[in-house]
Amino acid sequence: MSVLVVTEHLQGTVRDVTRELVTAGRPLGPVAVAVIARDPGPLAAAVDVEGVEEIVTVAAGADEFEGDTYQQALEALIESRRPRVVLLGFTVNAMSYAAAVAAKLGLGYASDVHGVALEGDAVIATRSFYAGKVSAELEFPGAETVLLLLRPTTWPPAEGTGGAAVSSLAVEVAPPRARHVEFTEPAATGDVDITQADVLLSIGRGIGDADAIAQFEGLAAKMGATLSVSRPIVDAGWMPASRQVGQSGKTVKPKVYLAFGISGAVQHLAGMKASGTIVAVNTDPEASIFGVAHYGAVVDLFDVAEELEKLY
Amino acid sequence: MRTVVCIKQVRTLGDEVEFTDDGRDVDPDYVDLALNEWDSFATEEALQLKERLGGEVVVVTCGPEESEAALRRCLAMGADRAVRIEGVAAHDPIGVAHALAEVVRDEEPDLVLCGVQSSDSVQAATGTALAELVELPRVAVVTRLEPGDGKATAHRELEGGLVDVVEVDLPAVLTTQTGINQPRYANLRAIKQAEQVEITVRQAASAPAASRVRRMFVPPRGEGAEMLGTDPGEVARRIADLVKERTA
Ligand SMILES: Cc1cc2nc3c(=O)[nH]c(=O)nc-3n(C[C@H](O)[C@H](O)[C@H](O)COP(=O)(O)OP(=O)(O)OC[C@H]3O[C@@H](n4cnc5c(N)ncnc54)[C@H](O)[C@@H]3O)c2cc1C
Ligand SMILES: Nc1ncnc2c1ncn2[C@@H]1O[C@H](COP(=O)(O)O)[C@@H](O)[C@H]1O
């Protein structure tokens, strides 16, 4: 029962999720970590953490991620090592090639997995459906290898040093059909830095329409809080991206996070679940946000806002 | 430019859940249905390309007859044709991709668009698997698309909002992210007209399953949140106190 973890790296740095995958993989069997990069050497040193038995480098492709290169490298790794379980982070990069590998090789597959277990020889993955309101156990009948994309920040990252043996696998890769050109940062708008705020008043799609923005900006100012938002508010063009909390926005850790009309999608939670005190106001008693909130109220956010106005 | 857009009718749950007798899914009597949010952005993107470059937009879904409502919504937005595929197991994105691949092969499109994810499954896998099965290049999580001669420039949005600008050979499969455009609303007349459009129905060939749901359940919430009651005045007071206490 062997486990293969694929390293995720960006601009020369191994991302935290890789060490989380090592922690998740250890109970399943001996863990090997693959490093796919033009120059994998320096990255291999960074994944030599406790619990890693072996590191396999594949020197291929460009410095930065390209899905076709990763696909060909991972297919070669799977064919040569025949792991029982392959673990990747549920990240934008993994979304770009993992399912292609599974479709091609006929692997078992699941994304956004937040629990993995072995029952005898069978791999059982736990994940959520229906906006996090329901969990499910998945089985993978007949699959020799199961490829799982694990939800980031679910397992603690492996620490320490491992002293793993390092080997390399030679893989010929064809030129990629989708090629990295450059990175661009989201435009800085000179707006406030929400990561520095002690108190965030955070509003989501529950506010209904653009007219409510001014009201909540006013309320936040009165309360000494900073206004932040979920993604749909930015998508609609009502607030700049610099105010967005979550996976594709900012990771925040204020003393108090007030979530008004935010359902608690996994990508939103990724950006705020480490906040000191989380208070959720939502008319849906089953909203996922109540799963991470310390305090909650099932009540109309506008009614609470009106009462707050009176108190400040 | 012929664009195939893969769309899904998603299920949303209210505050009550019941499971089917075999325990492998929720009882359909307890769900609401809607066009997947990501797929309305994908459809809009295809329509804007058609407006600029000419061509046609074909929307495809795998699902039971009731999922035709989602197809008709896209037809009302301006899609030209709609195809529904029957007989595909829900919840297995790779099985769905096998079924979609049959239609994509027949349509020979210049571009295929999917959403990044379906809101009820969050696999973010169908488009990427589909691309492999029809042997096309792919780019996932696209926030901007600029087609050129034989290739396109796409913005791939990474964690933290960092954008990876990529050049991709066409035809290709792209998965579009929310915010790439502002999806249009269909007017009443278009909605009425869409009711009349004939939807092509096909049967899926059998495909291998990459996963199967063994059991669904309501997750234990642990301690859960301490509830502050339902009186807005009291809730506001407690919030004000918490803010004061925790920032002291
Ligand atoms: C790759 C990727 C990256 C993403 N990155 C991010 C990110 O960085 N940040 C982010 O936020 N999302 C992100 N998302 C989107 C995410 O999946 C959700 O779509 C989004 O978080 C939903 O925002 P919401 O909670 O405001 O809206 P909804 O999910 O629509 O929730 C609205 C909530 O408001 C409640 N409500 C409605 N009316 C009222 C009322 N009057 N009073 C009280 N409550 C009310 C409803 O019950 C509901 O729970 C990302 C998605 C993908 C695929
Ligand atoms: N049943 C389906 N029929 C058609 N397209 C689908 C279906 N399921 C998923 N898709 C497409 O795949 C995307 C990602 O869905 P998923 O992989 O389930 O998260 C969706 O946005 C759709 O474009």
Side-chain angles (χ1 to χ4, degrees):
Chain A
M1 195 68 74
S2 67
V3 179
L4 179 69
V5 165
V6 181
T7 300
E8 177 138 356
H9 57 91
L10 178 73
Q11 296 176 309
T13 306
V14 172
R15 300 174 89 177
D16 292 344
V17 68
T18 308
R19 293 187 292 120
E20 299 165 17
L21 300 173
V22 172
T23 303
R26 281 182 77 178
L28 307 175
V31 174
V33 178
V35 182
I36 304 162
R38 190 181 61 82
D39 177 17
L43 298 163
V47 297
D48 191 9
V49 292
E50 203 180 322
V52 178
E53 313 246 318
E54 198 188 341
I55 295 169
V56 196
T57 62
V58 180
D63 285 328
E64 296 302 339
F65 174 87
E66 285 171 331
D68 282 344
T69 301
Y70 270 65
Q71 176 176 0
Q72 292 167 74
L74 180 54
E75 284 168 5
L77 283 159
I78 291 171
E79 267 155 8
S80 80
R81 306 179 61 87
R82 308 231 155 256
R84 180 76 179 97
V85 183
V86 180
L87 299 179
L88 276 63
F90 184 47
T91 63
V92 172
N93 281 357
M95 288 173 196
S96 313
Y97 75 103
V101 173
K104 181 162 179 188
L105 302 184
L107 312 180
Y109 179 88
S111 325
D112 195 25
V113 168
H114 47 73
V116 199
L118 288 175
E119 288 181 10
D121 210 28
V123 178
I124 302 293
T126 307
R127 72 185 307 281
S128 301
F129 285 96
Y130 306 115
K133 290 182 175 178
V134 169
S135 286
E137 290 164 358
L138 301 190
E139 52 197 1
F140 308 93
E144 191 189 324
T145 296
V146 178
L147 174 49
L148 302 176
L149 273 50
L150 304 191
R151 180 182 289 182
T153 71
T154 303
W155 284 267
E159 309 277 352
T161 42
V166 182
S167 62
S168 65
L169 181 73
V171 182
E172 277 299 324
V173 299
R177 300 163 297 174
R179 298 162 289 275
H180 167 74
V181 179
E182 59 172 343
F183 289 118
T184 60
E185 292 284 348
T189 55
D191 203 13
V192 290
D193 183 355
I194 61 171
T195 65
Q196 298 302 312
D198 276 348
V199 182
L200 284 174
L201 174 58
S202 207
I203 51 176
R205 184 144 43 198
I207 63 157
D209 59 48
D211 298 343
I213 298 284
Q215 177 190 348
F216 282 94
E217 274 183 314
L219 178 59
K222 274 188 175 178
M223 295 176 71
T226 300
L227 191 69
S228 60
V229 302
S230 68
R231 182 169 182 123
I233 306 297
V234 175
D235 286 341
W238 299 344
M239 286 297 273
S242 56
R243 298 276 184 144
Q244 181 184 318
V245 172
Q247 188 195 91
S248 54
K250 298 264 172 14
T251 300
V252 298
K253 211 177 155 184
K255 288 180 178 151
V256 182
Y257 188 85
L258 305 172
F260 277 38
I262 294 175
S263 62
V266 51
Q267 295 97 353
H268 188 82
L269 300 184
M272 47 62 74
K273 68 181 181 187
S275 301
T277 300
I278 300 170
V279 186
V281 176
N282 197 306
T283 43
D284 177 2
E286 297 303 320
S288 297
I289 191 77
F290 291 121
V292 300
H294 305 98
Y295 298 90
V298 180
V299 45
D300 191 301
L301 66 89
F302 288 102
D303 294 342
V304 177
E306 199 177 301
E307 295 294 332
L308 280 167
E309 295 274 358
K310 294 182 196 160
L311 293 177
Y312 286 92
Chain B
M1 182 118 176
R2 175 182 298 146
T3 305
V4 168
V5 186
C6 303
I7 64 125
K8 180 181 183 186
Q9 187 176 52
V10 290
R11 294 165 147 200
T12 53
L13 294 180
D15 50 21
E16 246 186 291
V17 185
E18 287 290 328
F19 295 95
T20 51
D21 288 343
D22 66 3
R24 293 178 194 263
D25 208 340
V26 297
D27 184 332
D29 286 347
Y30 290 78
V31 305
D32 285 326
L33 301 171
L35 172 63
N36 181 33
E37 183 181 1
W38 278 265
D39 301 347
S40 66
F41 288 89
T43 304
E44 176 64 34
E45 196 64 16
L47 292 172
Q48 291 188 13
L49 288 173
K50 177 187 150 180
E51 282 157 8
R52 272 168 53 201
L53 307 168
E56 107 178 291
V57 175
V58 184
V59 287
V60 188
T61 197
C62 302
E65 194 173 347
E66 61 191 10
S67 58
E68 291 189 0
L71 287 175
R72 292 201 191 277
R73 168 120 187 248
C74 300
L75 289 167
M77 286 173 75
D80 299 283
R81 287 191 286 124
V83 181
R84 180 171 68 84
I85 312 171
E86 249 179 15
V88 187
H91 300 317
D92 177 20
I94 295 186
V96 170
H98 274 280
L100 293 171
E102 297 172 46
V103 173
V104 171
R105 279 187 207 105
D106 290 352
E107 293 284 346
E108 299 186 354
D110 303 295
L111 187 67
V112 180
L113 298 180
C114 289
V116 168
Q117 65 179 31
S118 54
S119 59
D120 54 356
S121 295
V122 187
Q123 295 279 6
T126 308
T128 297
L130 169 63
E132 177 59 32
L133 297 171
V134 296
E135 295 179 29
L136 291 180
R138 79 249 153 198
V139 182
V141 195
V142 172
T143 51
R144 189 166 158 190
L145 172 61
E146 214 36 73
D149 199 12
K151 52 192 177 200
T153 301
H155 285 196
R156 201 168 73 90
E157 186 191 47
L158 303 180
E159 287 77 10
L162 183 70
V163 168
D164 181 14
V165 181
V166 299
E167 180 191 74
V168 58
D169 298 336
L170 294 180
V173 180
L174 307 184
T175 76
T176 56
Q177 173 64 312
T178 58
I180 186 172
N181 53 43
Q182 301 285 349
R184 69 194 68 189
Y185 292 102
N187 63 36
L188 220 56
R189 204 173 119 249
I191 292 171
K192 282 235 150 58
Q193 275 172 353
E195 293 299 327
Q196 308 307 318
V197 177
E198 179 125 7
I199 291 173
T200 308
V201 180
R202 325 179 19 150
Q203 198 64 38
S206 72
S211 68
R212 189 168 72 195
V213 174
R214 177 170 79 169
R215 173 173 90 94
M216 270 196 194
F217 55 98
V218 175
R221 271 278 166 75
E223 299 250 307
E226 180 186 330
M227 299 315 270
L228 303 177
T230 53
D231 172 52
E234 175 62 14
V235 172
R237 267 189 301 281
R238 294 289 306 272
I239 289 176
D241 288 347
L242 280 166
V243 168
K244 199 163 158 199
E245 250 169 56
R246 306 290 149 111
T247 54

